[in-house]
Amino acid sequence: MKTLLIVDDEPRTRLGIQKTLDAWSAGRHRIETAASGVEALEWLNSHTAHIIITDVRMPEVDGLQMLEKLSERGRLPVVIVISGYAEFEYAKKSLQLGAFEYILKPLDKSLLIDAVQRALELDSGRERIDALEKLVDPKLLEVGRDEARYGAAIKEAIDYIYVHLHEAISMKQVADQLHLNASYFSVLFKEQTGVTFSDYVTLRRLQKAKELLVTTSMPIWEIAEKVGYQTAKYFIKVFKENEGSSPSQYRHRILDTGQSIQ
């Protein structure tokens, strides 16, 4: 469940937005409120907001000052700024600080809901990117770090592996594709990538498997086929040896910790 935080010092406006979003959300999202920028910052010290809807003009800490302070803590949530003032500078400054949208008061309910829906889509997109980054095997990142310095033959070999990942791939098969002696290709591959050919293929297969495990509802046997394993039993064995858990356990662990990228 995602959390939306409404920040406005005007009780009527704050409660009006809350009522509108409660009716629209119908329990799908948690709607929280704060009566000032100070209160919002205190609340955010111990809670997470996916979307912030904030007024610009507030006493003590206004909406723009709040955004500045939040940006110092790290990446901002998706922010929708509202204001009764049509001055261009407010809109410009809020967007410079990373606001997603700027809406003028009096608020049109349909425009507000549309902005919130788009903000939620953006937040989900961020989560998908973050989750994909977390899925990447550190070993694979290490291998790819010097990819710009790979020779043409190794680059072609890596492209071939990626395209044919769902098939049985042998070192001799790839060496033949490159018109190279298999022994020479083996030494060249290890020299440039830092891993053996077979280890690289396994890393690639498991990386693809992890992506499919958390982005689809494919059964394990089908994922095994998609990443080039002839039997689910052998796929599970290799996955467990490298990841420390079975594919099913991995899928449940990622989904349970909220890293799903569906």
Side-chain angles (χ1 to χ4, degrees):
M1 181 179 288
K2 294 193 175 183
T3 299
L4 287 70
L5 176 63
I6 302 162
V7 189
D8 198 308
D9 64 316
E10 298 177 8
R12 185 176 177 181
T13 302
R14 185 173 67 251
L15 295 176
I17 295 173
Q18 184 181 28
K19 185 178 179 181
T20 297
L21 294 182
D22 275 333
W24 162 78
S25 173
R28 291 173 299 160
H29 307 294
R30 184 178 293 109
I31 313 298
E32 299 285 348
T33 64
S36 68
V38 173
E39 185 180 322
L41 289 170
E42 289 177 355
W43 187 88
L44 289 164
N45 281 332
S46 54
H47 300 82
T48 297
H50 299 87
I51 311 296
I52 293 178
I53 303 162
T54 182
D55 192 13
V56 169
R57 285 287 185 94
M58 293 184 291
E60 295 184 81
V61 175
D62 65 29
L64 299 184
Q65 291 170 329
M66 183 183 70
L67 294 190
E68 288 177 334
K69 291 181 182 298
L70 285 176
S71 65
E72 292 171 2
R73 300 181 184 182
R75 188 172 71 181
L76 282 173
V78 183
V79 178
I80 298 170
V81 171
I82 58 176
S83 176
Y85 301 87
E87 290 94 333
F88 174 70
E89 286 305 313
Y90 282 108
K92 181 180 177 182
K93 184 67 184 295
S94 67
L95 295 173
Q96 286 174 340
L97 290 170
F100 167 69
E101 184 65 274
Y102 186 95
I103 305 176
L104 291 176
K105 295 178 180 179
L107 294 176
D108 180 291
K109 290 183 180 180
S110 61
L111 289 178
L112 173 65
I113 290 171
D114 176 69
V116 168
Q117 288 175 324
R118 288 185 290 109
L120 286 166
E121 289 173 4
L122 175 59
D123 182 69
S124 294
R126 286 179 174 182
E127 288 181 346
R128 285 193 291 271
I129 293 170
D130 290 344
L132 278 171
E133 289 175 349
K134 290 174 184 176
L135 293 179
V136 178
D137 192 311
K139 297 175 188 173
L140 204 52
L141 285 175
E142 187 66 31
V143 170
R145 191 161 292 158
D146 295 324
E147 196 166 325
R149 290 187 283 178
Y150 292 171
I154 299 304
K155 287 181 180 178
E156 187 177 341
I158 287 173
D159 288 343
Y160 184 91
I161 291 167
Y162 184 80
V163 171
H164 297 271
L165 203 59
H166 60 290
E167 304 171 5
I169 305 171
S170 70
M171 186 172 64
K172 185 178 185 308
Q173 174 187 342
V174 179
D176 287 347
Q177 179 73 21
L178 300 174
H179 307 292
L180 295 174
N181 174 274
S183 296
Y184 172 71
F185 172 67
S186 174
V187 173
L188 188 66
F189 194 93
K190 174 70 182 296
E191 186 179 81
Q192 293 193 22
T193 66
V195 296
T196 65
F197 175 84
S198 61
D199 283 347
Y200 181 82
V201 172
T202 298
L203 286 172
R204 274 290 179 195
R205 291 194 198 284
L206 294 180
Q207 179 62 42
K208 182 66 176 177
K210 287 192 286 186
E211 292 172 12
L212 293 174
L213 282 166
V214 299
T215 60
T216 76
S217 57
M218 281 184 193
I220 303 303
W221 66 264
E222 187 174 354
I223 291 176
E225 288 184 355
K226 291 281 187 184
V227 298
Y229 290 99
Q230 294 183 342
T231 68
K233 184 177 180 180
Y234 184 61
F235 165 61
I236 293 170
K237 177 178 180 292
V238 174
F239 193 97
K240 196 167 185 177
E241 286 174 351
N242 284 268
E243 299 298 328
S245 63
S246 70
S248 294
Q249 290 169 335
Y250 179 88
R251 171 180 267 167
H252 290 307
R253 185 175 79 247
I254 297 297
L255 297 183
D256 289 345
T257 54
Q259 294 178 20
S260 170
I261 53 179
Q262 293 185 49

